[in-house]
Amino acid sequence: MPEGPELHLASLFVNRVCEGVVFTGPVRKSVVSKNCDVAFTCEAYRISAASRGKEVKLTLMPVKSDVNEGSAERPMDIVFRFGMSGYFQFTSEDELPKHSHLRFFSNEKPCRVLSFVDTRRFGSWQPNGGWQPGRGPCIMFEYESFRKNVLSNLSDRAFEKPICEALLNQTYFNGIGNYLRAEILFRLNIPPFVQARTVLEGLALEDLGADDTTGKEELADEKCTSRSADLLRLCHAVPLEVVNMGGKGYDPQKADYSDFQAWLRCYNVAGMKSTIDHNGRTMWFSGDSGPMAPKARKSTKARKRATKEDTHADTVAEVVSKNKTAKGVKQEGEAGSRKRNNNQEVQVTRTRDNIRCLRSGKTREADTAGEPRKRSSRTRLSSQ
């Protein structure tokens, strides 16, 4: 996500490529953008840019001439917030970037276009806008006001939070983002999850050592060992290091960030620790995380994987158990069925035997009963 240094470098980029260029016609918005239209059209105007924290302001200034000197055309300020992926690019009309969402066309042939490019479309712009009122002074170019704004409001509940989360509060730290907070806290050896107020309450309202060599020594050291080192001074100085890289830190056309990656000491660097803060943002650090670390949310990805594996294992075990039970029941059922069948067969056999026995018994009885009658008949005949 672009932070204060990137937005300032974007303003420098606009001023460099638009120097001496005259633009013309309406400002055009892409069809897919959900941001508002810019109701500005002019036969000839120039563009200049300025930055403040995480905002960039473009000023569209009509060019005065003998022809349009009495026209009602007025300058317009457009304030941009870059979101997750915004930046400016200056190309020919034929090479218009795919994700160009606001376009300013030059008055020349072949025509060139200044585009606000935003791949993820989280950025925004505000025509006739000013600096957002809720944002504090710029950490880089309004240092004294920035320092005073922080130290005069330490009673605010915002400073009851961990220092790593307070640093993202744009009311007080306008321009600080995820990579800057990691680099600043790492250099001062401050655990990210200690209360912000305890880190800041010992600092003086005026930074008497801002121009001496102390700050340079702090920046040069691999890590400072004292927690009393001036955090606000580094909030001002570290972003300026990125700005001093020039085009190496912000070059949308070449997109070469190798020098910037080499500059990083903590953020997304191998060997560093990371955890998820209370706002769902990844915090990079070294050493102890601090007493306010959200323990339940540590190693979220690993925990999710473990949970899925455990759930899968439990499911498999349950299925196996059910299968075993079903198999046992089936086997028992089959055994019982076989036993019942055997019993039935035995009973049938016994029944058949009994029937045979009964039939044979009746026959024998009939035979036994018939013989005396025959003998008595013979006896009667003989007697006669």
Side-chain angles (χ1 to χ4, degrees):
M1 180 177 181
E3 302 181 19
E6 286 72 41
L7 272 81
H8 180 65
L9 290 169
S11 68
L12 297 180
F13 171 81
V14 171
N15 288 334
R16 176 168 55 85
V17 299
C18 294
E19 184 178 4
V21 178
V22 176
F23 293 83
T24 188
V27 178
R28 298 176 187 173
K29 186 190 77 168
S30 68
V31 177
V32 296
S33 175
K34 294 182 179 179
N35 282 299
C36 61
D37 293 319
V38 177
F40 179 88
T41 183
C42 184
E43 292 183 4
Y45 65 95
R46 298 185 186 276
I47 297 177
S48 62
S51 71
R52 183 177 184 264
K54 285 192 175 183
E55 295 178 303
V56 170
K57 181 193 294 181
L58 294 192
T59 299
L60 314 184
M61 180 65 69
V63 178
K64 293 182 179 181
S65 65
D66 294 338
V67 177
N68 61 6
E69 187 173 358
S71 66
E73 293 173 345
R74 296 181 179 180
M76 174 183 283
D77 289 333
I78 308 174
V79 176
F80 290 83
R81 300 176 188 94
F82 282 18
M84 295 292 292
S85 58
Y87 64 93
F88 286 106
Q89 196 165 350
F90 195 51
T91 64
S92 66
E93 189 174 11
D94 296 335
E95 298 175 341
L96 202 65
K98 179 180 179 181
H99 299 284
S100 170
H101 295 302
L102 197 66
R103 303 154 189 169
F104 307 85
F105 294 84
S106 69
N107 188 14
E108 56 188 355
K109 293 183 180 180
C111 177
R112 292 185 292 174
V113 184
L114 177 69
S115 299
F116 177 66
V117 184
D118 187 8
T119 305
R120 301 183 67 179
R121 284 189 275 173
F122 289 135
S124 63
W125 56 79
Q126 182 182 0
N128 295 312
W131 303 124
Q132 193 171 14
R135 294 179 181 268
C138 178
I139 54 172
M140 295 177 289
F141 304 110
E142 299 172 314
Y143 176 53
E144 292 183 3
S145 299
F146 151 67
R147 188 179 184 92
K148 183 178 180 181
N149 184 45
V150 172
L151 297 178
S152 300
N153 291 284
L154 289 181
S155 60
D156 194 321
R157 293 181 61 183
F159 297 103
E160 295 176 3
K161 296 184 177 182
I163 183 62
C164 67
E165 296 175 12
L167 285 173
L168 295 184
N169 189 329
Q170 301 302 296
T171 300
Y172 299 106
F173 298 91
N174 186 12
I176 298 289
N178 217 25
Y179 82 79
L180 282 176
R181 68 170 179 172
E183 294 299 316
I184 292 167
L185 294 176
F186 173 78
R187 296 191 187 194
L188 294 177
N189 196 25
I190 298 176
F193 292 96
V194 295
Q195 191 185 61
R197 187 177 292 118
T198 62
V199 176
L200 298 166
E201 60 188 358
L203 300 181
L205 193 61
E206 293 185 10
D207 185 6
L208 300 177
D211 296 327
D212 63 15
T213 58
T214 305
K216 295 180 181 179
E217 290 174 359
E218 287 178 355
L219 295 176
D221 290 342
E222 182 65 23
K223 290 182 75 175
C224 296
T225 57
S226 174
R227 292 189 185 179
S228 62
D230 200 322
L231 174 70
L232 298 182
R233 186 186 305 165
L234 259 68
C235 287
H236 165 67
V238 172
L240 289 178
E241 288 187 19
V242 182
V243 172
N244 290 335
M245 292 182 193
K248 296 178 181 179
Y250 180 89
D251 193 348
Q253 293 180 331
K254 295 182 180 179
D256 181 11
Y257 298 103
S258 57
D259 289 339
F260 174 73
Q261 291 174 345
W263 171 85
L264 292 170
R265 300 184 190 181
C266 178
Y267 180 78
N268 205 20
V269 173
M272 295 296 159
K273 301 176 183 178
S274 67
T275 189
I276 306 300
D277 67 15
H278 296 92
N279 299 318
R281 303 287 299 276
T282 302
M283 178 64 211
W284 293 86
F285 63 99
S286 175
D288 183 26
S289 59
M292 300 179 72
K295 296 180 177 59
R297 300 184 67 173
K298 278 187 177 181
S299 303
T300 304
K301 293 181 181 178
R303 181 169 58 81
K304 285 182 179 179
R305 286 197 297 271
T307 302
K308 288 181 180 179
E309 290 172 1
D310 294 342
T311 304
H312 178 66
D314 293 341
T315 304
V316 171
E318 185 179 353
V319 170
V320 170
S321 177
K322 287 182 178 180
N323 289 339
K324 285 183 178 178
T325 304
K327 187 175 181 181
V329 171
K330 185 177 180 181
Q331 290 175 350
E332 291 178 1
E334 290 176 352
S337 178
R338 286 196 298 269
K339 188 175 181 180
R340 285 193 298 273
N341 291 337
N342 291 335
N343 292 336
Q344 289 175 357
E345 289 176 359
V346 170
Q347 289 177 357
V348 169
T349 303
R350 288 178 179 175
T351 302
R352 288 175 179 172
D353 291 342
N354 291 335
I355 293 171
R356 290 193 189 99
C357 291
L358 290 172
R359 287 177 178 174
S360 61
K362 287 180 180 180
T363 304
R364 285 196 296 270
E365 289 176 357
D367 294 341
T368 305
E371 286 179 357
R373 285 195 295 270
K374 288 181 180 179
R375 285 197 298 270
S376 58
S377 172
R378 290 173 184 172
T379 303
R380 287 194 299 270
L381 288 173
S382 61
S383 60
Q384 290 175 355

